[in-house]
Tab-separated table of all heavy atoms in Angstrom:
chain	number	residue	atom	x	y	z
K	60	ALA	N	50.691	8.170	-23.267
K	60	ALA	CA	51.230	9.304	-22.509
K	60	ALA	C	52.578	8.895	-21.927
K	60	ALA	O	52.836	7.711	-21.683
K	60	ALA	CB	50.275	9.720	-21.393
K	61	SER	N	53.430	9.880	-21.705
K	61	SER	CA	54.766	9.614	-21.166
K	61	SER	C	54.818	9.917	-19.672
K	61	SER	O	53.911	10.554	-19.113
K	61	SER	CB	55.800	10.487	-21.890
K	61	SER	OG	55.628	11.844	-21.525
K	62	THR	N	55.888	9.462	-19.039
K	62	THR	CA	56.072	9.789	-17.626
K	62	THR	C	56.223	11.295	-17.436
K	62	THR	O	55.827	11.830	-16.397
K	62	THR	CB	57.302	9.063	-17.053
K	62	THR	OG1	58.449	9.341	-17.873
K	62	THR	CG2	57.072	7.559	-16.995
K	63	GLU	N	56.751	11.988	-18.421
K	63	GLU	CA	56.851	13.453	-18.353
K	63	GLU	C	55.463	14.077	-18.335
K	63	GLU	O	55.209	15.041	-17.595
K	63	GLU	CB	57.651	13.990	-19.543
K	63	GLU	CG	59.142	13.735	-19.463
K	63	GLU	CD	59.833	14.605	-18.409
K	63	GLU	OE1	59.189	15.516	-17.859
K	63	GLU	OE2	61.014	14.338	-18.124
K	64	ASP	N	54.548	13.531	-19.148
K	64	ASP	CA	53.175	14.043	-19.164
K	64	ASP	C	52.504	13.824	-17.817
K	64	ASP	O	51.822	14.713	-17.288
K	64	ASP	CB	52.361	13.337	-20.258
K	64	ASP	CG	52.924	13.558	-21.654
K	64	ASP	OD1	53.451	14.653	-21.911
K	64	ASP	OD2	52.830	12.625	-22.482
K	65	ILE	N	52.704	12.635	-17.244
K	65	ILE	CA	52.133	12.338	-15.926
K	65	ILE	C	52.704	13.297	-14.885
K	65	ILE	O	51.967	13.876	-14.075
K	65	ILE	CB	52.420	10.882	-15.527
K	65	ILE	CG1	51.759	9.913	-16.505
K	65	ILE	CG2	51.948	10.604	-14.104
K	65	ILE	CD1	52.180	8.459	-16.330
K	66	ALA	N	54.026	13.474	-14.911
K	66	ALA	CA	54.696	14.353	-13.945
K	66	ALA	C	54.181	15.777	-14.036
K	66	ALA	O	53.942	16.440	-13.011
K	66	ALA	CB	56.202	14.322	-14.171
K	69	VAL	N	50.702	15.855	-12.437
K	69	VAL	CA	50.788	15.674	-10.977
K	69	VAL	C	51.308	16.947	-10.313
K	69	VAL	O	50.769	17.408	-9.292
K	69	VAL	CB	51.692	14.469	-10.632
K	69	VAL	CG1	52.039	14.453	-9.148
K	69	VAL	CG2	51.018	13.168	-11.034
K	80	VAL	N	50.803	8.297	-2.200
K	80	VAL	CA	50.319	7.350	-3.213
K	80	VAL	C	49.679	6.202	-2.457
K	80	VAL	O	50.365	5.399	-1.816
K	80	VAL	CB	51.471	6.865	-4.117
K	80	VAL	CG1	51.003	5.766	-5.053
K	80	VAL	CG2	52.040	8.037	-4.920
K	83	PRO	N	48.187	1.502	-4.309
K	83	PRO	CA	48.432	1.090	-5.695
K	83	PRO	C	48.401	-0.430	-5.789
K	83	PRO	O	48.712	-1.125	-4.821
K	83	PRO	CB	49.842	1.610	-5.962
K	83	PRO	CG	50.518	1.549	-4.627
K	83	PRO	CD	49.435	1.930	-3.632
K	84	ILE	N	48.005	-0.956	-6.947
K	84	ILE	CA	48.100	-2.397	-7.124
K	84	ILE	C	49.555	-2.765	-7.401
K	84	ILE	O	50.340	-1.935	-7.854
K	84	ILE	CB	47.164	-2.918	-8.232
K	84	ILE	CG1	47.543	-2.351	-9.605
K	84	ILE	CG2	45.721	-2.601	-7.906
K	84	ILE	CD1	46.738	-2.969	-10.728
K	86	SER	N	51.907	-4.241	-9.553
K	86	SER	CA	51.972	-4.717	-10.933
K	86	SER	C	52.988	-3.922	-11.725
K	86	SER	O	52.898	-2.694	-11.802
K	86	SER	CB	50.589	-4.596	-11.595
K	86	SER	OG	50.662	-4.868	-12.967
K	87	ARG	N	53.918	-4.635	-12.340
K	87	ARG	CA	54.875	-3.959	-13.226
K	87	ARG	C	54.182	-3.431	-14.466
K	87	ARG	O	54.538	-2.382	-14.996
K	87	ARG	CB	55.981	-4.945	-13.630
K	87	ARG	CG	56.860	-5.380	-12.464
K	87	ARG	CD	57.758	-6.536	-12.848
K	87	ARG	NE	56.987	-7.732	-13.179
K	87	ARG	CZ	57.513	-8.862	-13.628
K	87	ARG	NH1	58.819	-8.953	-13.813
K	87	ARG	NH2	56.748	-9.907	-13.884
K	88	ASN	N	53.178	-4.159	-14.938
K	88	ASN	CA	52.458	-3.770	-16.143
K	88	ASN	C	51.480	-2.630	-15.876
K	88	ASN	O	51.364	-1.701	-16.661
K	88	ASN	CB	51.724	-4.986	-16.706
K	88	ASN	CG	50.842	-4.650	-17.894
K	88	ASN	OD1	51.247	-3.914	-18.776
K	88	ASN	ND2	49.647	-5.207	-17.919
K	89	ARG	N	50.789	-2.714	-14.761
K	89	ARG	CA	49.678	-1.800	-14.504
K	89	ARG	C	50.076	-0.497	-13.799
K	89	ARG	O	49.449	0.523	-14.016
K	89	ARG	CB	48.623	-2.507	-13.656
K	89	ARG	CG	47.821	-3.531	-14.410
K	89	ARG	CD	46.939	-2.871	-15.433
K	89	ARG	NE	46.015	-3.803	-16.046
K	89	ARG	CZ	45.013	-3.427	-16.811
K	89	ARG	NH1	44.810	-2.156	-17.062
K	89	ARG	NH2	44.214	-4.319	-17.357
K	90	PHE	N	51.088	-0.570	-12.905
K	90	PHE	CA	51.310	0.633	-12.095
K	90	PHE	C	52.731	1.161	-12.102
K	90	PHE	O	52.946	2.341	-11.786
K	90	PHE	CB	50.871	0.385	-10.646
K	90	PHE	CG	50.797	1.654	-9.854
K	90	PHE	CD1	49.778	2.571	-10.091
K	90	PHE	CD2	51.752	1.966	-8.903
K	90	PHE	CE1	49.713	3.766	-9.391
K	90	PHE	CE2	51.706	3.158	-8.192
K	90	PHE	CZ	50.671	4.066	-8.437
K	91	ALA	N	53.697	0.355	-12.460
K	91	ALA	CA	55.092	0.778	-12.311
K	91	ALA	C	55.395	2.064	-13.070
K	91	ALA	O	56.035	2.982	-12.530
K	91	ALA	CB	56.025	-0.336	-12.778
K	92	ILE	N	54.937	2.173	-14.306
K	92	ILE	CA	55.258	3.362	-15.102
K	92	ILE	C	54.468	4.572	-14.601
K	92	ILE	O	54.959	5.703	-14.608
K	92	ILE	CB	55.006	3.117	-16.599
K	92	ILE	CG1	55.690	1.811	-17.035
K	92	ILE	CG2	55.515	4.282	-17.434
K	92	ILE	CD1	57.174	1.741	-16.721
K	93	CYS	N	53.248	4.330	-14.127
K	93	CYS	CA	52.480	5.418	-13.497
K	93	CYS	C	53.238	5.969	-12.294
K	93	CYS	O	53.312	7.191	-12.096
K	93	CYS	CB	51.105	4.916	-13.053
K	93	CYS	SG	50.038	4.359	-14.389
K	94	LEU	N	53.808	5.064	-11.498
K	94	LEU	CA	54.559	5.485	-10.309
K	94	LEU	C	55.790	6.288	-10.709
K	94	LEU	O	56.136	7.267	-10.036
K	94	LEU	CB	54.954	4.261	-9.481
K	94	LEU	CG	55.700	4.539	-8.173
K	94	LEU	CD1	54.878	5.443	-7.256
K	94	LEU	CD2	56.041	3.226	-7.468
K	95	ARG	N	56.455	5.889	-11.778
K	95	ARG	CA	57.597	6.682	-12.269
K	95	ARG	C	57.169	8.120	-12.562
K	95	ARG	O	57.840	9.075	-12.169
K	95	ARG	CB	58.159	6.061	-13.540
K	95	ARG	CG	59.058	4.864	-13.347
K	95	ARG	CD	59.805	4.550	-14.637
K	95	ARG	NE	60.620	3.358	-14.527
K	95	ARG	CZ	61.840	3.340	-13.987
K	95	ARG	NH1	62.364	4.461	-13.498
K	95	ARG	NH2	62.523	2.219	-13.928
K	96	GLY	N	56.048	8.257	-13.253
K	96	GLY	CA	55.571	9.593	-13.600
K	96	GLY	C	55.196	10.413	-12.385
K	96	GLY	O	55.510	11.605	-12.296
K	97	ILE	N	54.526	9.784	-11.413
K	97	ILE	CA	54.145	10.488	-10.192
K	97	ILE	C	55.381	10.945	-9.435
K	97	ILE	O	55.465	12.084	-8.966
K	97	ILE	CB	53.260	9.576	-9.309
K	97	ILE	CG1	51.910	9.311	-9.998
K	97	ILE	CG2	53.032	10.212	-7.937
K	97	ILE	CD1	51.091	8.204	-9.352
K	98	ALA	N	56.368	10.054	-9.305
K	98	ALA	CA	57.605	10.392	-8.587
K	98	ALA	C	58.371	11.504	-9.288
K	98	ALA	O	58.981	12.363	-8.638
K	98	ALA	CB	58.482	9.149	-8.464
K	99	LYS	N	58.310	11.502	-10.596
K	99	LYS	CA	58.996	12.538	-11.375
K	99	LYS	C	58.372	13.917	-11.107
K	99	LYS	O	59.034	14.949	-11.258
K	99	LYS	CB	58.914	12.192	-12.866
K	99	LYS	CG	59.857	12.970	-13.769
K	99	LYS	CD	59.590	12.636	-15.241
K	99	LYS	CE	60.047	11.243	-15.608
K	99	LYS	NZ	61.509	11.185	-15.814
K	100	GLY	N	57.101	13.929	-10.686
K	100	GLY	CA	56.400	15.189	-10.429
K	100	GLY	C	56.336	15.564	-8.961
K	100	GLY	O	55.507	16.390	-8.561
K	104	VAL	N	57.651	10.969	-2.188
K	104	VAL	CA	56.464	10.131	-2.312
K	104	VAL	C	56.322	9.303	-1.044
K	104	VAL	O	57.258	8.602	-0.638
K	104	VAL	CB	56.562	9.194	-3.537
K	104	VAL	CG1	55.410	8.186	-3.531
K	104	VAL	CG2	56.559	9.997	-4.828
K	162	TYR	N	59.160	-0.913	-5.965
K	162	TYR	CA	58.503	0.391	-6.018
K	162	TYR	C	59.370	1.473	-5.373
K	162	TYR	O	59.431	2.607	-5.859
K	162	TYR	CB	57.133	0.324	-5.336
K	162	TYR	CG	56.018	-0.226	-6.220
K	162	TYR	CD1	56.276	-0.658	-7.512
K	162	TYR	CD2	54.708	-0.290	-5.762
K	162	TYR	CE1	55.259	-1.144	-8.320
K	162	TYR	CE2	53.681	-0.779	-6.559
K	162	TYR	CZ	53.970	-1.208	-7.831
K	162	TYR	OH	52.949	-1.682	-8.636
K	165	LEU	N	61.939	2.480	-7.923
K	165	LEU	CA	61.387	3.302	-9.008
K	165	LEU	C	61.271	4.765	-8.586
K	165	LEU	O	61.597	5.676	-9.361
K	165	LEU	CB	59.999	2.781	-9.419
K	165	LEU	CG	59.916	1.454	-10.167
K	165	LEU	CD1	58.462	1.132	-10.484
K	165	LEU	CD2	60.725	1.507	-11.453
K	166	ILE	N	60.783	4.977	-7.367
K	166	ILE	CA	60.622	6.352	-6.869
K	166	ILE	C	61.971	7.044	-6.797
K	166	ILE	O	62.134	8.188	-7.265
K	166	ILE	CB	59.937	6.329	-5.485
K	166	ILE	CG1	58.499	5.809	-5.600
K	166	ILE	CG2	59.946	7.730	-4.855
K	166	ILE	CD1	57.866	5.452	-4.266
K	169	GLU	N	63.675	8.213	-10.016
K	169	GLU	CA	63.143	9.442	-10.597
K	169	GLU	C	63.516	10.678	-9.785
K	169	GLU	O	63.016	11.771	-10.032
K	169	GLU	CB	61.617	9.341	-10.735
K	169	GLU	CG	61.152	8.233	-11.676
K	169	GLU	CD	61.724	8.365	-13.082
K	169	GLU	OE1	61.988	9.507	-13.519
K	169	GLU	OE2	61.921	7.321	-13.744
K	192	ILE	N	47.105	10.795	-3.952
K	192	ILE	CA	46.420	10.184	-5.092
K	192	ILE	C	45.929	8.809	-4.654
K	192	ILE	O	46.728	7.963	-4.231
K	192	ILE	CB	47.353	10.027	-6.310
K	192	ILE	CG1	47.965	11.364	-6.703
K	192	ILE	CG2	46.585	9.435	-7.498
K	192	ILE	CD1	49.031	11.253	-7.787
K	194	CYS	N	44.997	5.371	-5.563
K	194	CYS	CA	45.332	4.558	-6.735
K	194	CYS	C	44.563	3.239	-6.780
K	194	CYS	O	44.801	2.424	-7.687
K	194	CYS	CB	46.828	4.288	-6.750
K	194	CYS	SG	47.816	5.801	-6.826
K	217	LEU	N	43.199	8.268	-9.489
K	217	LEU	CA	43.911	8.143	-10.759
K	217	LEU	C	43.074	8.643	-11.930
K	217	LEU	O	43.615	9.043	-12.960
K	217	LEU	CB	44.300	6.677	-11.005
K	217	LEU	CG	45.529	6.142	-10.268
K	217	LEU	CD1	45.748	4.678	-10.643
K	217	LEU	CD2	46.781	6.960	-10.584
K	220	ILE	N	44.037	12.188	-13.018
K	220	ILE	CA	45.341	12.440	-13.619
K	220	ILE	C	45.258	12.033	-15.087
K	220	ILE	O	44.843	10.921	-15.403
K	220	ILE	CB	46.461	11.632	-12.925
K	220	ILE	CG1	46.481	11.912	-11.418
K	220	ILE	CG2	47.811	11.929	-13.560
K	220	ILE	CD1	46.828	13.345	-11.054
K	221	LEU	N	45.621	12.945	-15.985
K	221	LEU	CA	45.508	12.746	-17.436
K	221	LEU	C	44.062	12.499	-17.870
K	221	LEU	O	43.795	11.702	-18.767
K	221	LEU	CB	46.412	11.620	-17.917
K	221	LEU	CG	47.922	11.926	-17.942
K	221	LEU	CD1	48.690	10.785	-18.585
K	221	LEU	CD2	48.221	13.225	-18.682
K	235	GLY	N	41.101	8.721	-16.787
K	235	GLY	CA	42.457	9.228	-16.632
K	235	GLY	C	43.497	8.135	-16.759
K	235	GLY	O	43.534	7.397	-17.751
K	236	LEU	N	44.345	7.999	-15.727
K	236	LEU	CA	45.395	6.975	-15.721
K	236	LEU	C	44.875	5.585	-15.343
K	236	LEU	O	45.568	4.590	-15.555
K	236	LEU	CB	46.491	7.346	-14.711
K	236	LEU	CG	47.719	8.103	-15.191
K	236	LEU	CD1	48.683	8.304	-14.032
K	236	LEU	CD2	48.414	7.377	-16.338
K	237	LEU	N	43.681	5.517	-14.797
K	237	LEU	CA	43.146	4.231	-14.355
K	237	LEU	C	42.934	3.319	-15.563
K	237	LEU	O	42.403	3.738	-16.590
K	237	LEU	CB	41.827	4.443	-13.613
K	237	LEU	CG	41.306	3.259	-12.808
K	237	LEU	CD1	42.263	2.884	-11.698
K	237	LEU	CD2	39.931	3.568	-12.229
K	238	GLY	N	43.344	2.081	-15.440
K	238	GLY	CA	43.192	1.142	-16.539
K	238	GLY	C	44.307	1.203	-17.558
K	238	GLY	O	44.239	0.546	-18.599
K	239	SER	N	45.352	1.991	-17.278
K	239	SER	CA	46.462	2.093	-18.226
K	239	SER	C	47.368	0.871	-18.115
K	239	SER	O	47.348	0.148	-17.125
K	239	SER	CB	47.265	3.372	-17.978
K	239	SER	OG	47.845	3.365	-16.689
K	240	ASN	N	48.161	0.658	-19.163
K	240	ASN	CA	49.132	-0.432	-19.209
K	240	ASN	C	50.488	0.108	-19.621
K	240	ASN	O	50.577	1.108	-20.344
K	240	ASN	CB	48.731	-1.490	-20.249
K	240	ASN	CG	47.499	-2.263	-19.864
K	240	ASN	OD1	46.394	-1.799	-20.086
K	240	ASN	ND2	47.681	-3.431	-19.316
K	241	LYS	N	51.527	-0.593	-19.233
K	241	LYS	CA	52.871	-0.247	-19.657
K	241	LYS	C	52.998	-0.428	-21.169
K	241	LYS	O	52.622	-1.447	-21.730
K	241	LYS	CB	53.883	-1.150	-18.945
K	241	LYS	CG	55.323	-0.952	-19.375
K	241	LYS	CD	56.235	-1.897	-18.611
K	241	LYS	CE	57.686	-1.757	-19.036
K	241	LYS	NZ	58.566	-2.657	-18.237
K	242	ALA	N	53.539	0.595	-21.840
K	242	ALA	CA	53.875	0.477	-23.257
K	242	ALA	C	55.386	0.308	-23.403
K	242	ALA	O	55.871	-0.659	-23.978
K	242	ALA	CB	53.387	1.701	-24.031
K	243	THR	N	56.144	1.283	-22.853
K	243	THR	CA	57.598	1.184	-22.787
K	243	THR	C	58.005	1.546	-21.364
K	243	THR	O	57.150	1.767	-20.501
K	243	THR	CB	58.272	2.156	-23.781
K	243	THR	OG1	58.098	3.509	-23.312
K	243	THR	CG2	57.681	2.022	-25.182
K	244	GLU	N	59.299	1.651	-21.115
K	244	GLU	CA	59.760	2.017	-19.773
K	244	GLU	C	59.397	3.450	-19.409
K	244	GLU	O	59.486	3.846	-18.246
K	244	GLU	CB	61.279	1.830	-19.661
K	244	GLU	CG	61.727	0.375	-19.655
K	244	GLU	CD	61.126	-0.425	-18.525
K	244	GLU	OE1	60.955	0.122	-17.423
K	244	GLU	OE2	60.814	-1.611	-18.740
K	245	ASN	N	58.989	4.246	-20.396
K	245	ASN	CA	58.662	5.657	-20.139
K	245	ASN	C	57.302	6.087	-20.675
K	245	ASN	O	56.993	7.276	-20.668
K	245	ASN	CB	59.750	6.557	-20.745
K	245	ASN	CG	61.097	6.349	-20.080
K	245	ASN	OD1	61.246	6.597	-18.895
K	245	ASN	ND2	62.067	5.856	-20.842
K	246	THR	N	56.493	5.125	-21.135
K	246	THR	CA	55.165	5.484	-21.659
K	246	THR	C	54.128	4.466	-21.218
K	246	THR	O	54.433	3.296	-20.977
K	246	THR	CB	55.155	5.561	-23.200
K	246	THR	OG1	55.577	4.302	-23.735
K	246	THR	CG2	56.041	6.672	-23.713
K	247	VAL	N	52.887	4.937	-21.142
K	247	VAL	CA	51.759	4.055	-20.862
K	247	VAL	C	50.731	4.183	-21.977
K	247	VAL	O	50.623	5.223	-22.628
K	247	VAL	CB	51.074	4.376	-19.511
K	247	VAL	CG1	51.981	4.058	-18.338
K	247	VAL	CG2	50.616	5.836	-19.452
K	248	LYS	N	50.014	3.097	-22.203
K	248	LYS	CA	48.848	3.129	-23.087
K	248	LYS	C	47.640	3.299	-22.192
K	248	LYS	O	47.418	2.498	-21.284
K	248	LYS	CB	48.751	1.830	-23.884
K	248	LYS	CG	47.504	1.756	-24.766
K	248	LYS	CD	47.202	0.334	-25.170
K	248	LYS	CE	46.865	-0.565	-24.013
K	248	LYS	NZ	45.690	-0.118	-23.208
K	249	LEU	N	46.877	4.335	-22.439
K	249	LEU	CA	45.738	4.642	-21.590
K	249	LEU	C	44.511	3.818	-21.988
K	249	LEU	O	44.443	3.253	-23.085
K	249	LEU	CB	45.420	6.136	-21.671
K	249	LEU	CG	46.559	7.055	-21.215
K	249	LEU	CD1	46.249	8.500	-21.575
K	249	LEU	CD2	46.804	6.925	-19.730
Side-chain angles (χ1 to χ4, degrees):
S61 70
T62 53
E63 287 288 351
D64 299 326
I65 297 170
V69 167
V80 173
I84 64 173
S86 172
R87 294 169 296 176
N88 175 44
R89 286 292 188 169
F90 192 72
I92 310 305
C93 297
L94 182 58
R95 281 193 184 278
I97 293 168
K99 195 185 288 281
V104 172
Y162 278 2
L165 289 180
I166 294 167
E169 297 303 330
I192 304 173
C194 300
L217 281 180
I220 305 295
L221 287 186
L236 266 182
L237 194 62
S239 62
N240 291 83
K241 176 180 179 178
T243 71
E244 289 301 324
N245 296 297
T246 58
V247 292
K248 176 199 64 59
L249 300 169

